[in-house]
Amino acid sequence: MASSLSLLPLFLFSLSFLVSSSSSSSSSSSSSSSTTTPSTDVLLGNEELEGVGLELYEEFLRDEAVSRLNELGKVSDVDGYLERTFMSPASVKAASVIRQWMEDAGLRTWVDHMGNVHGRVDGMNASAPALLIGSHLDTVVDAGKFDGALGIISAISAVKVLKVINKLEMLKRPIEIIAFSDEEGVRFQSTFLGSAAISGILPASSLNISDKRGKTLKDVLHENSVEATEETLLQLKYQPHSIWGYVEVHIEQGPVLELAGLPLGVVKGIAGQTRLKGN
């Protein structure tokens, strides 16, 4: 736990590189917003971050983040262990709580047609490609409370610090946090429903897959006031030119970093998932 939470200040430092310098901000105010290209200068350097943010690290990036991880870890469909599957009562409650936290951090929020929760701030240039940050809000059966939740809460906490120090509107590009509705695929035995929809690779036929109770994906969404059709699925796709990059903080599900005494690592490769059904 300690090693995972120690990366939160580093995460804030990374976000600070998206902020325009005070000099570029003043010069751009005299130019047309449609023709202004924000400077790549950094407003908050390493020393400034340490000086400004020490107490904020403790309040938001440590204490509040840990409190929220514990709170979300109790939002479960069963007693005794953590389980939140796609659009279950606990998942819907978790989505509502996460949306409130996003709004508390100064983000404009909405829920899309696959149940993904979005929080966005446009900064100084709403049309610039956005930095996407996120993770999943669903869980496996008998899950750990950091899996997925850490990536969502750390992002919200980092953005909240920028709000508190009045730098959120000075971002030189939009930041959008996404809490994906489904990664684990427990309910419908079909993984990555949330991110596949955003990527534009979720086939319309997925709306007809059924859970073990015979409810289709479309039915479950409808029960939660989300109307999903082939047309709405197409509308969810993010065009590549609209995305500057994607960052996800995730708990290490193994012993490597702990044994090496390292607080964090940068992933250079990722495993894919394929599920096959036999006759």
Side-chain angles (χ1 to χ4, degrees):
M1 175 177 174
S3 62
S4 300
L5 296 179
S6 66
L7 58 79
L8 295 180
L10 297 176
F11 192 46
L12 171 63
F13 178 70
S14 299
L15 288 186
S16 73
F17 278 88
L18 299 173
V19 184
S20 298
S21 70
S22 55
S23 60
S24 67
S25 175
S26 60
S27 63
S28 64
S29 64
S30 62
S31 304
S32 169
S33 60
S34 62
T35 59
T36 299
T37 301
S39 168
T40 57
D41 293 340
V42 180
L43 177 60
L44 300 179
N46 193 16
E47 294 181 358
E48 290 174 285
L49 275 173
E50 291 177 355
V52 172
L54 181 58
E55 70 281 0
L56 298 181
Y57 292 161
E58 294 175 350
E59 180 179 356
F60 298 124
L61 298 179
R62 187 190 66 189
D63 299 343
E64 186 174 76
V66 171
S67 175
R68 287 176 169 180
L69 283 164
N70 290 331
E71 180 180 346
L72 204 60
K74 296 176 182 177
V75 181
S76 176
D77 287 307
V78 295
D79 295 327
Y81 59 88
L82 178 57
E83 179 182 331
R84 282 195 306 268
T85 59
F86 179 79
M87 283 295 176
S88 68
S91 184
V92 172
K93 180 179 179 180
S96 177
V97 170
I98 289 168
R99 188 172 183 178
Q100 292 174 23
W101 291 340
M102 288 178 173
E103 291 172 352
D104 176 58
L107 302 177
R108 170 173 55 88
T109 66
W110 69 96
V111 178
D112 68 27
H113 290 282
M114 195 48 63
N116 300 312
V117 184
H118 301 249
R120 184 179 176 103
V121 58
D122 289 331
M124 297 172 61
N125 189 353
S127 62
L131 172 65
L132 306 184
I133 314 171
S135 197
H136 57 100
L137 62 85
D138 69 320
T139 75
V140 296
V141 177
D142 197 8
K145 64 183 176 182
F146 299 111
D147 186 8
L150 179 64
I152 299 168
I153 291 172
S154 61
I156 294 172
S157 297
V159 170
K160 184 172 180 177
V161 170
L162 294 180
K163 174 192 174 185
V164 170
I165 62 176
N166 298 316
K167 306 302 181 187
L168 195 56
E169 298 304 323
M170 299 179 70
L171 292 166
K172 68 178 185 178
R173 66 178 68 254
I175 288 180
E176 185 171 325
I177 300 174
I178 307 176
F180 294 106
S181 58
D182 174 273
E183 181 202 73
E184 306 291 4
V186 173
R187 182 167 188 174
F188 288 99
Q189 297 299 298
S190 180
T191 56
F192 307 116
L193 293 174
S195 56
I198 295 293
S199 302
I201 60 173
L202 186 67
S205 59
S206 297
L207 295 174
N208 298 318
I209 59 176
S210 300
D211 63 13
K212 61 183 179 181
R213 295 182 179 180
K215 290 186 177 182
T216 67
L217 176 60
K218 186 174 183 178
D219 291 338
V220 170
L221 288 167
H222 177 74
E223 289 174 358
N224 289 279
S225 302
V226 179
E227 300 301 329
T229 64
E230 182 175 0
E231 182 179 357
T232 60
L233 284 185
L234 292 174
Q235 293 171 356
L236 292 181
K237 180 180 179 179
Y238 279 41
Q239 298 300 324
H241 67 265
S242 70
I243 301 172
W244 184 71
Y246 176 80
V247 178
E248 178 167 354
V249 176
H250 203 282
I251 186 73
E252 185 196 26
Q253 295 168 302
V256 177
L257 293 178
E258 184 176 1
L259 291 175
L262 297 174
L264 70 142
V266 177
V267 176
K268 296 191 293 184
I270 190 168
Q273 283 194 28
T274 301
R275 296 189 179 186
L276 304 177
K277 292 184 178 181
N279 293 328

